[in-house]
Amino acid sequence: MRMSMRSTVSGAMAALMLLATGCGTSTTAENTAGGAASAAPSKPVPLSVFYAGSMTHVMEQVIRPRVDQALHIDFQGEGAGSAELAHMITSKLANPDVFISASPAVDVNDLMGASNGNAARWYATLATDELVIAYSPKSKEAGEFKLAAEGKVPWYKVLEMPGVRFGRTDPKLDPKGANTILMMKLAETYYHQPNLEKTILGSDENPAQVFPEEDLIAQLTSGQMDAVIAYKHEAIEWHVPYITLPSAINLGDPALAKDYAKVSWTPDGGGKTVKGAPILFTITVLTHAPHPEQAAAFVRYMTVGPGHQILMQDGFTPTPIRFYGDLRSVPASLRAIEEHS
């Protein structure tokens, strides 16, 4: 877990100061009894937040410093594929306070229910997004990608060009990886291009294309990768050009939910089938959160507070805040959020 060092150092410094001055609880008690000294500021609560890896930049660089001060917490974030993080929770390898997913399917399939130990009992909608094809201005095919972005060349023709290095995330660990496959299936029908998925992607976990999310960013921005499937907010925050895809295939329009649901993907070797659906980020306080009160305050900050405004500035699209799951488990301090969204 990141940033545990900061709280450790702060604790050690406080202990050394107490030893050096000979002060301790007895002194505090004396001061309190005498009414001459005010109470020392409380230590920020360490709040563990697991979030979708595509949010790493905004969570660590923008939200962390602001929310630490606003809520008097020590934000300890961990970003990775949503399904991967959920498996860490249900395997008891980690016990975070808050979970932000890139898909409600991860909440439902990997955290909620008796089979998952009821690791989560509810979730709230947070924001929507859409898939784009982000490309490197350093690519030798940058000119062709630019033409595709302008609608002058089919984007899939550029991706089919020999030597183009194309990247995506693991469909078994990351909703964006699964959505990439679903997008290609929709594109086959939309463009009347049978076998487009296999032609461009190859196998579901093609080792030449599949990388951890954080590696994709580095490879694209360094020019080692020509193009990647990204969320729109990622392309905006990375400051890289991108190709906007039609609403019929980009999984970004809630009004097209029924059309998206016509395609599905089942992992090789078995596993739960994922149906096409509008991209939707969600947030929840986990059932066994060590700091439930601060976790609920963080959810409020992200859904109707300054954190929500930051997400919109980062390229996300707003969506009404709605609760799903066991609504009786939603913290009382959050229930009014839905009424005012």
Side-chain angles (χ1 to χ4, degrees):
M1 187 70 64
R2 298 185 57 182
M3 295 305 292
S4 58
M5 182 65 72
R6 179 165 56 183
S7 59
T8 302
V9 172
S10 298
M13 289 294 293
L16 286 172
M17 291 178 66
L18 288 173
L19 288 172
T21 59
C23 294
T25 54
S26 59
T27 303
T28 302
E30 290 166 4
N31 289 339
T32 302
S38 59
S42 60
K43 185 178 179 180
V45 172
L47 191 76
S48 174
V49 179
F50 275 18
Y51 55 79
S54 64
M55 304 176 73
T56 298
H57 176 81
V58 67
M59 295 300 288
E60 298 296 335
Q61 302 301 320
V62 187
I63 288 177
R64 173 200 290 276
R66 300 188 189 186
V67 76
D68 275 1
Q69 183 174 18
L71 301 184
H72 192 53
I73 62 173
D74 180 12
F75 178 97
Q76 299 182 356
E78 184 79 18
S82 300
E84 181 180 5
L85 293 174
H87 296 162
M88 289 175 63
I89 295 169
T90 54
S91 299
K92 301 188 184 305
L93 296 176
N95 185 32
D97 295 283
V98 176
F99 179 70
I100 301 177
S101 172
S103 170
V106 176
D107 297 283
V108 174
N109 295 334
D110 300 319
L111 289 177
M112 298 170 71
S115 61
N116 295 311
N118 292 310
R121 294 183 183 276
W122 59 273
Y123 66 85
T125 53
L126 179 62
T128 64
D129 209 332
E130 65 184 64
L131 293 182
V132 300
I133 298 173
Y135 64 94
S136 171
K138 301 176 182 176
S139 168
K140 59 182 176 57
E141 307 297 347
E144 293 297 318
F145 282 115
K146 186 174 184 296
L147 290 174
E150 295 170 348
K152 298 176 180 176
V153 176
W155 56 266
Y156 52 86
K157 291 294 185 185
V158 183
L159 291 182
E160 291 173 357
M161 294 175 66
V164 168
R165 298 159 298 180
F166 175 61
R168 54 191 172 97
T169 56
D170 191 332
K172 290 184 177 179
L173 301 177
D174 181 37
K176 186 168 59 182
N179 281 335
T180 297
I181 294 175
L182 295 170
M183 183 276 284
M184 288 292 179
K185 291 179 182 293
L186 289 168
E188 287 183 345
T189 302
Y190 184 80
Y191 295 110
H192 306 290
Q193 294 289 321
N195 301 317
L196 188 63
E197 175 197 347
K198 295 301 179 186
T199 300
I200 294 179
L201 302 186
S203 63
D204 289 350
E205 295 182 279
N206 184 348
Q209 296 183 349
V210 172
F211 296 92
E213 202 156 33
E214 56 272 26
D215 289 353
L216 272 185
I217 297 172
Q219 294 200 36
L220 182 72
T221 54
S222 67
Q224 298 178 61
M225 196 74 70
D226 294 301
V228 304
I229 292 292
Y231 293 122
K232 182 179 177 181
H233 85 265
E234 294 178 291
I236 292 173
E237 69 183 23
W238 300 345
H239 304 292
V240 294
Y242 61 91
I243 301 169
T244 300
L245 299 171
S247 297
I249 67 172
N250 68 15
L251 301 173
D253 187 349
L256 298 177
K258 290 184 179 178
D259 293 326
Y260 297 157
K262 293 177 181 177
V263 296
S264 62
W265 170 72
T266 303
D268 292 337
K272 294 180 179 177
T273 296
V274 180
K275 279 191 173 183
I279 294 167
L280 182 62
F281 284 72
T282 66
I283 188 168
T284 188
V285 177
L286 293 159
T287 303
H288 303 293
H291 309 97
E293 181 180 345
Q294 289 78 10
F298 181 79
V299 170
R300 173 176 285 276
Y301 183 89
M302 294 299 296
T303 50
V304 295
H308 184 74
Q309 298 169 19
I310 293 170
L311 292 183
M312 297 308 108
Q313 293 167 1
D314 196 60
F316 283 89
T317 302
T319 188
I321 307 302
R322 297 283 183 265
F323 291 108
Y324 295 90
D326 181 4
L327 303 186
R328 298 168 300 178
S329 298
V330 177
S333 62
L334 294 178
R335 292 171 188 167
I337 289 176
E338 186 175 43
E339 297 173 5
H340 295 289
S341 64

